[in-house]
Amino acid sequence: MSTVLLVHAKGGPPLGHVLSRTAARADVHLLALSALPPAVAGAAARLCASVTTPDDAGRSDLVSLIVSRAREVGAKAVITFSEYAVVAVAEACEKLGLPGAGAAAALARDKRLMRSTWQRSGLPQPAFRPVATEADLQAAVDSLSCPLLLKAAWSAGSTAHQIITSPVEASAAWARSRQVMAESAQLGYAELHVAEADADFVVEEIVSGTVADWFAEPGWGDYLSVEGVVADGVFHPVCLSGRMPTVEPFTERAGITPALLSPDAQDRVVDLARRAVDALGLRDCGTHTEIKLGPDGGMWLIETAARFGGAMTVPQIEEVFELDLVGMLVDHLLGRPVAWPEQALTPAQARGAAGSLVVLAVDGRGEAWQDRKVWDFSVVASDVPLSPDSELSVVAESSLPDGSVVPVYDPAAGANTMAALCLLSAADPRTVLRDFETLVDALPRVLPAVRSEEVPA
């Protein structure tokens, strides 16, 4: 078989899923820029021809490290599914003469460049300003209309988001966002290639979304994502994933595949996603485009990534539409023919539905739990009454071990304060949504309380 160098870092689809699908298509050499999740270490040793963890000195020039390792193993393709390694892998592929996201990868990573590119193309998005200093932020706040959202240009997982409701809040928001980015870097959730990326921010006006004009029933979030791939520069939409409402400020709680839109609404959403991806000029990579839904059919682009959606988006698509996106992309990068969907798949073509829920210490109204709790999936599985045919599981590599204290939710830290990631399979998207609502409401009631001696210092 051909040889693939898989570059692993935090974020993206679960590594266990990625490894098994890649190993089915090629001999895999793993370059681990982040520690392997304990739940996956055994599988990595079994499935990979080699597992290499570079020392700190080797990481100083990440592109050269990837190029060197690819040449050592004779890789015919180099791939990553992590947001934090996308740019480095794209540049390495350029040097190696291998297919990849291309020189435009940074446009799908740096939110300042992304928004500027879309602005030149006349695409709908919130008014924005790039900011690099507190003075920049203050000037931007004075020129834009509050409320505003301050976010790090290179972040992921809704980290370092701060809502600014008046100009007097700008200074505190700037300090808190900078602090969170530093803390995230310590946890390994930070850009791995671009020096001092934690200093780059963008501030944008918060647009008012709506659900009523798009979904037939309440409970859905006012945004969704278009999952797709770019192959030889041509965008292929795969499907849409819906959402539950975010937790303040804009932390994602759950993704559901497929999104339950009418055919006409789906076509309009996909058309905007296509224009967004085309404007960025990507070449060979997965894509994940988030879109805010407005009244009267209006939409705004949130962001596009040059990789597949994170959490369980990829496994959900495989379960619901029987498409192994990881394996298909590996085949494409190795020059094998791949039959991408001719158009975005619809709910009518789905085999049931699947969703992933991020467990945060916040109830369905967005309020913090009154008491500290201990994470225990066995209790959740036995005590939460879900629909008769629904199946709930926990993603071990993305979750704290049973017995761990659930972190207090920090709005600025976003998904960094998650306790677990759960996967739900059900008969249809409505059932997934209702079961998730039940689960969110039940968690603070069924999880065991923390004993005083267990409370973290």
Side-chain angles (χ1 to χ4, degrees):
M1 285 200 294
S2 298
T3 298
V4 169
L5 178 65
L6 174 61
V7 180
H8 165 67
K10 291 208 173 187
L15 179 59
H17 181 92
V18 167
L19 274 179
S20 62
R21 275 62 179 177
T22 306
R25 299 302 213 283
D27 292 326
V28 183
H29 292 265
L30 184 63
L31 180 61
L33 305 179
S34 298
L36 301 185
V40 183
R46 183 176 68 256
L47 294 172
C48 297
S50 71
V51 178
T52 302
T53 303
D55 56 23
D56 290 341
R59 298 166 186 262
S60 61
D61 185 347
L62 193 52
V63 173
S64 294
L65 171 67
I66 296 169
V67 168
S68 175
R69 186 60 184 152
R71 287 172 174 160
E72 288 174 2
V73 301
K76 301 301 181 184
V78 180
I79 192 169
T80 188
F81 296 91
S82 167
E83 180 83 348
Y84 305 114
V86 161
V87 176
V89 168
E91 291 187 14
C93 288
E94 291 288 285
K95 291 192 173 185
L96 291 162
L98 298 175
L107 302 184
R109 182 74 181 95
D110 183 341
K111 296 174 178 61
R112 302 166 305 169
L113 298 178
M114 186 187 307
R115 293 222 171 278
S116 296
T117 300
W118 285 340
Q119 185 178 58
R120 290 192 296 272
S121 297
L123 297 176
Q125 60 180 338
F128 73 99
R129 298 287 187 277
V131 293
T133 66
E134 185 178 340
D136 288 345
L137 176 59
Q138 194 62 62
V141 170
D142 292 340
S143 66
L144 298 172
S145 298
C146 290
L148 302 171
L149 178 63
L150 174 67
K151 54 187 178 183
W154 298 82
S155 67
S158 304
T159 55
H161 283 190
Q162 290 281 287
I163 293 177
I164 301 172
T165 60
S166 71
V168 298
E169 297 174 357
S171 181
W174 177 255
R176 181 60 179 138
S177 288
R178 292 296 304 273
Q179 178 186 4
V180 170
M181 287 303 292
E183 294 169 352
S184 295
Q186 293 297 316
L187 296 171
Y189 296 100
E191 170 61 32
L192 296 170
H193 174 51
V194 178
E196 300 183 2
D198 60 345
D200 299 329
F201 288 79
V202 66
V203 65
E204 59 191 41
E205 294 181 355
I206 297 176
V207 293
S208 296
T210 185
V211 173
D213 293 351
W214 295 88
F215 294 96
E217 63 280 309
W220 295 94
D222 60 4
Y223 74 113
L224 44 67
S225 58
V226 179
E227 323 303 342
V229 68
V230 178
D232 298 322
V234 178
F235 174 60
H236 301 272
V238 173
C239 68
L240 276 62
S241 295
R243 297 292 191 279
M244 291 182 76
T246 58
V247 178
E248 187 177 343
F250 289 102
T251 302
E252 296 191 14
R253 194 196 287 273
I256 300 171
T257 306
L260 203 55
L261 292 186
S262 68
D264 175 68
Q266 174 158 316
D267 288 345
R268 286 185 282 119
V269 169
V270 169
D271 177 69
L272 178 57
R274 183 186 306 278
R275 287 185 285 146
V277 173
D278 287 349
L280 297 176
L282 301 171
R283 199 172 64 217
D284 293 288
C285 60
T287 63
H288 173 76
T289 302
E290 296 181 354
I291 295 173
K292 183 90 165 179
L293 304 174
D296 302 320
M299 293 175 279
W300 300 272
L301 291 166
I302 300 175
E303 61 186 45
T304 286
R307 43 87 183 164
F308 293 131
M312 294 297 285
T313 303
V314 170
Q316 288 165 207
I317 292 170
E318 181 170 326
E319 177 177 340
V320 172
F321 291 113
E322 300 182 313
L323 289 178
D324 172 11
L325 290 185
V326 171
M328 293 168 74
L329 181 57
V330 169
D331 278 343
H332 173 73
L333 295 178
L334 291 172
R336 300 166 184 162
V338 176
W340 301 108
E342 295 183 2
Q343 58 187 10
L345 301 171
T346 68
Q349 296 170 282
R351 186 186 62 179
S356 47
L357 178 78
V358 176
V359 176
L360 302 166
V362 182
D363 65 22
R365 298 181 303 276
E367 298 176 0
W369 293 351
Q370 294 183 356
D371 305 303
R372 301 295 303 275
K373 299 292 182 177
V374 173
W375 173 247
D376 190 329
F377 179 72
S378 64
V379 171
V380 175
S382 63
D383 293 0
V384 178
L386 301 178
S387 300
D389 294 327
S390 296
E391 296 182 7
L392 183 70
S393 59
V394 67
V395 185
E397 69 174 86
S398 303
S399 304
L400 297 175
D402 284 351
S404 302
V405 177
V406 176
V408 174
Y409 176 65
D410 181 349
N416 288 0
T417 52
M418 66 181 282
L421 182 66
C422 293
L423 176 67
L424 181 80
S425 302
D428 53 65
R430 290 184 183 88
T431 302
V432 175
L433 179 62
R434 302 306 169 215
D435 280 348
F436 277 165
E437 292 174 336
T438 298
L439 186 58
V440 167
D441 289 339
L443 285 174
R445 184 180 71 252
V446 304
L447 287 176
V450 174
R451 297 189 299 269
S452 58
E453 64 270 20
E454 296 175 320
V455 178

